[in-house]
Structure formats: C-alpha cells, structure tokens
C-alpha cells in the first residue's frame, strides 16, 4: 500500500504540474460561471431603449402608490398627464411610437379591469412591466372596502393548492423534491468528474507503455501496486476537480441566488450517493487501467479499446425511462447491471421519495463484487499488457491473459 | 571482492511450451562485474526479468543474500532494462527523485546525488529539462543515473551500452567500474565483446536458453580462446586441411584463417608448417571473445562439443 501511495502521489503531482490539467481545472468552473451569468451580462450591454412614454389619466389618485411599486421594481417610464380625453389620447398613442395610455377610472375599482392602450411599436418588456401594477391596485381595491385588518389579511392570503398524495407507507407524505434531487445531482457531478479523470488512467497506462518506462517502475513496485497507485492518484485528481468546482461554483451560487444549497447538500443522503459515485469510479477505473495497459497507439481509435470510453455513458441511454418511472423494470434492471448501476442508482435515488433499501443493498453488493472481479481481471491484463511493447493487444490475446 | 550478493540456481522459463531459458545458474559477488552474454534471443533478458520478478521462473530459485527467501529486495537493486524510456514531459530531476522515492531513498540525498551524477555525465544544468528536450544518448545517461540513484547493492544493466556513442560508452564504463570498486555487485548483459573483455570479471554465455560458457575472464580465455593462425599467401585450401591440430580453415582469397586445437604450443606448431606454403604475412593470436560469440551465435562450432559443455 505504501508503494501504491507513492505511485498515487506521483500521478497526482505529475498532473498538477501539467499546464493543460491546471487550465482545465480552473477553466471548467469559470466556463460554468461565465455561461450562467451570460444572460445578465448581456443585459448590461443591451442598448438602453428609450423609456416608454406613458400618459396617465388619474381620476382616483391611484398613480402615487402604483408608481412607488413600479420604481421599487426598477421600472421607469416617462410619465405625462393625459392631454385630452380617452378618444383623443387613443389617436395620439396610435400615431406615436413607444407610447401608452392608462386611465385609472372609477370603473377600475368596481370592475377590477384596467385597460392599457399601447402603440404597435413598444418596448417588448412593457407588457410584463404593466403586470407589476396588479398588486398595488388590488391593495387599493381592498383598502376601499373598509374591511378589518383580519379580513384584509385573509383576502391577501389568497388560496394555494397543496397536492398531497399518500404513499403506501402509512403516514409518509411527499415532501420537498429538491431534498433528494440536489444531493443526487451533486453525486452525479462527482461521478462524472472522477470518471472523466479516471479516463486519464487509460492514457497514463498507455503512455507508460509507449514511453517504455513501465519496466523501470516495475523494478521498484509490483504491477498491482502500480495499478492501485494510478487508481488512487486519479481519484484524488477527480476529487480535486470537484473541490475546485465546489469552491468556485457554490459561493457564486450562494451569492447570486438566495437558494440554501448547503442545507440541501449537508444531509446524510449525500453520503450514500457520493459512496455510490465512488464505487462507480472504482469500477470504471479498473476497466480503464486494464484496457489502457493493452494499448500503445492512441491514434488507432478504430480498434475495440475505444469502446471502453463509451461505457460510463451507458446510464445516459437509460435516463428517460429511469426518470419517468424510477421504480419500473428498466430502472431496476439498470440498478443491478454493474456498468449502469452507479449512474442509474443516483438517478433513481434523486427522484424517489422513499428509497428502496433492499434494492439499494443488492445493487451495492453486486457493485462491490463486480469491482473486486474487475480489479482482479484488470490486474491480470495490466501485469502482462504494460510490458508488451510495440503493439496494441488483440482481444484474443487479452482473453488469453485472463486465463493465466 | 567478497561473498555472493545474488545466486541464481537452475532457473528455467517457458512460453507457449517453448523453453526460453533452461538450467541457468550463476552468482554475482560483491564488487564484481558479471556479464551475461549471448546472441539476440538467447534468453538474457528473460533471465534478467526472472531475477527482477518481472517474470516468474517456472523452475529454479533466485536468492538475494542477506534477505529472506522469496522476497525481492527491490529497494536494494538498481535496474536498467533493455526496453527503456522515461516520462517525456516531466523534468529530469522530478523523474530521478520519483525513482529514488520508490526505492525508499532519502529525497535530500537523492537530489545531491542526482546533481553530482548529472554533472559527472555531462548533463549539468539539465535537471529542469524534460527528456523530450534531450538527445537519445543524453536520455540513456539519465536512465543510467535513475538505476543507481539509490546506491544499490546489486545493479542489473541489460544492454547498458546500446545506443551510446563511444565517448558516452567510455563514461558509463568508467562509472560501472567505479561502482564495482565501491562494492556494488553488477550484472550486465552486452553485445560489445571488447567492452565485456575489458570490464567484466566473470561471464556467462548462453545460447538458445542454455549455458555454453562460464567462468572468470582468464578461465574462459584459457579454456576456450584457442590460437588461430592467419596466413596471407597464394595457397590451396587443401594444403591447410592436411595440417595437424587444425580444427577448421576459413579461406577468402589470399587470406586463410586456421583455427587451432586447444593446448597447442604455437612455436612448436609453427615449426611443423610445410615449406611449400607461401607466406607473405603470418600472425598467431588467441581467438577473441568476439569470435567465440560469433562462433556460438552462428553455430560454427569452433569449439569442441566437450569444451562447450565443460
């Protein structure tokens, strides 16, 4: 194990000193931030459109309180008192671009209807901005009824519909869907990140063959220590990447929105989901290490080793059936099949309100046995493959090595 | 020189039912340079890889003295394999320190040794360069440093001179000698027989996986390096064939090489040469290690079968 840690440290250091890795480590979260803030950034450059000229007919003295709300929402119109009566104003509006006419008449309070006349050519946001007036007008409407404070509160409270469906387990009710979804997405990101860096094991083993350095290394450590070291080293790199993401993205997210993301993440469920992601990494890392050791010429993409790069994406194929029916037969089968198990389990557990613990336990046991088996097989392939210089191994050769 | 550091006893290895090496035994002593020779495909690298535990011999034992049986004291062995290279995009110092760390050698000492050896081998100031910035020969020197950075007790060098120019060969040769003088046991395989003759204390020559010659350099020369007589003149080959104590004749134009039997007194043999032989030039010398090697590699059998199996 000591030797494995030395190899792991080397692989970690080697990559952390590699400029392209550092750049990708920093650039990925930055790209996320740039893309997520792009819309508001673009707004900054949006050409300042002229404010809409709004003619107000304020018979009921309502404008003052409406304007207050509009300003609090950052809406600024150019306000002008109506010059003539309604029909005259309509004509003016019709012939002047970017203008509107609002009349706060007696009918408004009685009928609850406000007509806003606008020119054809008007700021496209104006329609949304007009809706902001609903709340202050409604408040005024209630005010005019001269109700008691309690009655006002009841009316203001309105009616909300809370759909509650009772699950089979007595007493258990559906709660906040984000409670499971956020740890699930987090574990999914971890799985994605460590499997992506895990793919670098493939390249590392292949390069060690290409650069003919494997035999020198194997004079100091044995092949299983070398393989373990690579798996641990690239796991650490993957986790470093996740940490870089967390350190950059989470504070940014917390700053930009008031969503309590940490409250959702710091729950026991996260531990199990991350554990499943780590198991997924170990499974694919074994495959990458084993197959990478059979592979010297990375340019020969047409050969079968290229297929291993597709294996981690298998759960993506099952995304739709699993999400639409997380307790269906496809979701269950996907949880038991080792190559799709980590991804499918994370997807299912992200959307299922009540976790099927028996299924989870069986899946994890299958996954653990598969990891043990894959590590053993990969070790056999790695041991012979890493020293076979000069050519890529054929599937027939690999099958033969497995029998040793 | 003192006791053995490594004892290889009757090791054998087969691949696909083909025996690659069989019944190979030898020892390497402290402060001694032992050569393992043989033509390409003779099984030298297989023997070396079996010692290093990279391959597992089917039969026989490999014993590292002073260490428990069955375990390979990897941290006390330096190894330069035949198929070798280094990480291309990493600095030389980082590579050397990594190999030292793998051998549990203190980093500070390794750094000092690395700088000293880089200077000694003409690579001063290159510690921050990467291998891809160096020439092939320079890379070979770094590989050599990597194999000795941790002051090994036993140094195994598989073809250490291949790809080196004569100047670099001399540098590495003198380093190997110096290491042996300091007590390192050295096992090397090489094709350059002149280097082996000059450098090694003992040798083992293998052919088709089996031992054909072994012993100290003096023993091998006394036992196997018979005399040969080279005559230049206008002579028929049949004249030489009739001569006594001649094992084989090779004639090319005016030049005839007569390979003489063992235990011959050259002066006595020369007296018996018939007068009709035209002699423009005549030299008598011992068969060189190089010729013994060629002889074995090409199955010419200059040596008697009895001598080979001795």
């Amino acid at each position: 194990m000591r030797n494995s840690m030395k190899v792991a440290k080397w692989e970690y250091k080697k990559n952390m000193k590699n400029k392209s890795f550092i750049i990708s480590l920093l650039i990925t979260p930055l790209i996320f931030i740039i893309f997520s803030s792009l819309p508001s950034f673009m707004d900054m450059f949006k050409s300042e459109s002229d404010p809409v000229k709004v003619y107000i007919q304020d018979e009921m003295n309502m404008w003052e309180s409406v304007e207050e709300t509009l300003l609090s929402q950052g809406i600024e119109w150019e306000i002008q008192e109506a010059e003539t009566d309604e029909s005259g104003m309509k004509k003016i509006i019709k012939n002047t671009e970017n203008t509107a006419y609002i009349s706060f008449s007696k009918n408004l309070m009685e009928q609850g209807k406000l007509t806003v006349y606008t020119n054809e050519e008007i700021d496209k946001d104006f329609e949304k901005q007009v809706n902001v007036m609903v709340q202050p007008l409604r408040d005024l409407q209630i005010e005019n009824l001269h109700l008691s404070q309690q009655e006002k509160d009841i009316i203001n409270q309105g009616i909300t519909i809370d759909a509650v469906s009772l699950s089979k387990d007595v007493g258990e009710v559906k709660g906040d869907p984000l409670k499971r979804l956020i740890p699930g997405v987090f574990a999914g990101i971890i799985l994605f990140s460590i499997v992506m860096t895990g793919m670098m094991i493939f390249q590392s083993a292949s390069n060690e063959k290409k650069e003919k350095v494997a035999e020198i290394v194997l004079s100091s450590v044995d092949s299983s220590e070398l393989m373990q070291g690579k798996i641990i080293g690239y796991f650490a790199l993957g986790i470093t990447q996740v940490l870089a993401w967390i350190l950059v993205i989470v504070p940014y997210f917390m700053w930009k929105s008031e969503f309590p993301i940490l409250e959702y993440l710091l729950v026991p469920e996260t531990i199990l989901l991350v554990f499943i992601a780590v198991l997924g990494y170990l499974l694919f890392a074994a495959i990458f290490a084993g197959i990478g050791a059979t592979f010297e010429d990375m340019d020969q993409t047409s050969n079968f080793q290229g297929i291993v790069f597709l294996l981690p994406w298998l759960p993506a194929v099952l995304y739709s059936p699993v999400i639409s029916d997380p307790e269906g037969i496809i979701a269950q089968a996907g949880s038991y099949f080792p190559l799709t198990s980590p991804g499918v389990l994370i997807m299912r557990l992200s959307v299922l309100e009540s976790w099927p613990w028996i299924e989870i336990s069986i899946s994890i046991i299958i996954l653990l046995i598969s990891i043990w088996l894959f590590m053993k097989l990969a070790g056999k392939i790695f041991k012979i493959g890493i020293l076979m210089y000069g050519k890529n191994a054929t599937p027939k050769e690999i099958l033969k090595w497995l029998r040793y | 020189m003192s006791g053995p550091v490594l004892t290889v006893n009757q090791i054998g290895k087969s691949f696909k039912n083909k025996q690659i090496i069989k019944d190979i035994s030898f020892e390497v002593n402290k402060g001694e340079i032992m050569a393992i020779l043989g033509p390409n495909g003779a099984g030298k690298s297989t023997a070396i890889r079996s010692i290093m535990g990279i391959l597992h011999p089917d039969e026989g034992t490999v014993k590292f003295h002073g260490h428990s049986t069955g375990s390979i004291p990897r941290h006390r062995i330096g190894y330069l394999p035949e198929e070798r290279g280094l990480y291309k995009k990493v600095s030389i110092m980082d590579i050397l320190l990594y190999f030292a760390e793998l051998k549990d050698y203190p980093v500070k000492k390794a750094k000092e040794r690395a700088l000293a050896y880089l200077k000694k081998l003409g690579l001063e100031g290159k510690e921050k360069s990467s291998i891809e910035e160096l020439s092939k020969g320079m890379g070979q020197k770094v590989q050599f440093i990597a194999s000795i950075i941790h002051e090994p007790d036993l140094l195994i060098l598989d073809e250490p001179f291949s790809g080196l120019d004569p100047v670099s060969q001399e540098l590495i040769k003198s380093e190997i000698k110096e290491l042996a003088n300091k007590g390192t046991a050295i096992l090397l395989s090489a094709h350059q027989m002149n280097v082996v003759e000059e450098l090694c204390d003992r040798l083992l020559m293998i052919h088709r996986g089996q031992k054909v010659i072994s012993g100290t350099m003096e023993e091998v020369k006394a036992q196997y390096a018979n005399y040969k007589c080279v005559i230049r003149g206008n002579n028929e080959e049949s004249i030489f064939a009739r001569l006594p104590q001649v094992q084989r004749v090779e004639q090319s134009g005016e030049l005839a090489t007569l390979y003489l039997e063992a235990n011959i007194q050259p002066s006595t043999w020369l007296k018996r040469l018939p007068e009709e032989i035209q002699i423009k030039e005549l030299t008598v010398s011992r068969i060189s290690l190089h010729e013994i090697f060629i002889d074995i590699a090409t199955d010419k059998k200059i040596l008697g079968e009895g001598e080979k199996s001795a």
Side-chain angles (χ1 to χ4, degrees), chain B residues 258-271:
Chain B
L258 317 179
Y259 292 92
L260 309 182
E261 287 176 0
N263 306 319
I264 262 184
Q265 278 298 323
S267 54
T268 317
W269 183 83
L270 280 171
K271 279 176 199 160

Side-chain angles (χ1 to χ4, degrees), chain A residues 2 6-7 9-10 14 17 208 211-213 215-221 383 387 389 400, chain B residues 16 49 52 54 56 74 79 81 83-88 90 94-95 98-99 101-104:
Chain A
R2 248 187 85 230
K6 287 181 202 165
V7 175
K9 200 173 122 194
W10 167 254
K14 194 171 73 169
K17 282 188 177 180
E208 226 148 72
E211 291 167 357
K212 293 184 176 172
V213 75
E215 198 169 341
I216 300 180
V217 178
L218 288 178
S219 71
S220 304
V221 299
K383 192 175 173 181
L387 289 173
Y389 299 132
K400 202 177 72 194
Chain B
K16 286 189 196 169
R49 283 177 159 190
M52 289 306 301
I54 289 166
H56 294 288
R74 289 193 164 97
Y79 178 47
E83 291 276 5
R84 54 186 178 248
L86 289 172
Y87 301 102
K88 288 201 168 57
V90 186
D94 282 352
I95 294 175
Y98 173 49
F99 288 132
E101 196 193 356
L102 285 180
K103 302 282 189 184
D104 287 330

